[in-house]
Amino acid sequence: MEVKIKKLDPRAILPRYGSPFSAGADICALMDAPIGIAPGETVFIHTGLSAQIPENHVGLIFARSSLGSKRGLAPANKVGVIDSDYRGEIMVALFNHSAETQTIEPFERIAQFMIVPFITAQFIESDTLSDTLRGEGGFGSTGRI
């Protein structure tokens, strides 16, 4: 699949896969100087990129495992959603879950970008739903003996 990416700044780095079997392509920060993110703080990081996501697909922004597990940095909204009709800059809102200020360096890989197909549902109001074994069992209700 081809996805058009527009560089809003000539220094921006196109998304790139770390290996032939990577599901997510790395997205890099675009900034002139390092940015510190204090504990409990969210900072919007520029990428200098916009994308033309194909119809019936969505661009998803996920955490990079090394940033999350080693430095406590992850997208503030957990998963960023880029709709196919959005043409603005892709921004990554990084939240610092750690107890120390974390620094993002210029051009550092800050997130993973995936293009995923989706189905648009037709929501129909109903007075009844089918019965299941689980029924109304909520959080933590499955797997009990």
Side-chain angles (χ1 to χ4, degrees):
M1 166 186 293
E2 291 184 355
V3 175
K4 291 182 180 181
I5 301 289
K6 180 179 179 180
K7 285 187 174 186
L8 304 173
D9 183 304
R11 301 172 302 152
I13 298 170
L14 291 178
R16 58 181 176 223
Y17 294 98
S19 77
F21 299 104
S22 295
D26 291 328
I27 295 276
C28 297
L30 179 67
M31 59 181 105
D32 295 321
I35 293 177
I37 305 174
E41 182 181 30
T42 298
V43 173
F44 287 86
I45 308 292
H46 291 269
T47 67
L49 302 173
S50 59
Q52 183 175 316
I53 308 295
E55 288 183 20
N56 299 315
H57 289 74
V58 62
L60 299 175
I61 301 292
F62 293 102
R64 292 193 72 245
S65 58
S66 61
L67 286 184
S69 63
K70 295 178 182 176
R71 296 171 56 194
L73 294 172
N77 52 346
K78 307 306 178 210
V79 177
V81 174
I82 303 168
D83 296 312
S84 64
D85 58 350
Y86 177 69
R87 295 293 184 271
E89 182 178 9
I90 297 170
M91 301 282 286
V92 178
L94 284 181
F95 179 81
N96 184 355
H97 293 272
S98 80
E100 300 175 6
T101 296
Q102 299 294 322
T103 301
I104 297 297
E105 298 293 333
F107 310 106
E108 181 177 350
R109 296 176 295 162
I110 57 168
Q112 296 184 70
F113 181 48
M114 292 179 67
I115 307 294
V116 178
F118 68 88
I119 296 170
T120 301
Q122 296 292 325
F123 297 102
I124 301 167
E125 184 176 354
S126 176
D127 292 331
T128 61
L129 302 174
S130 64
D131 290 328
T132 67
L133 289 175
R134 181 176 182 177
E136 294 182 14
F139 294 105
S141 67
T142 62
R144 290 192 206 162
I145 297 177

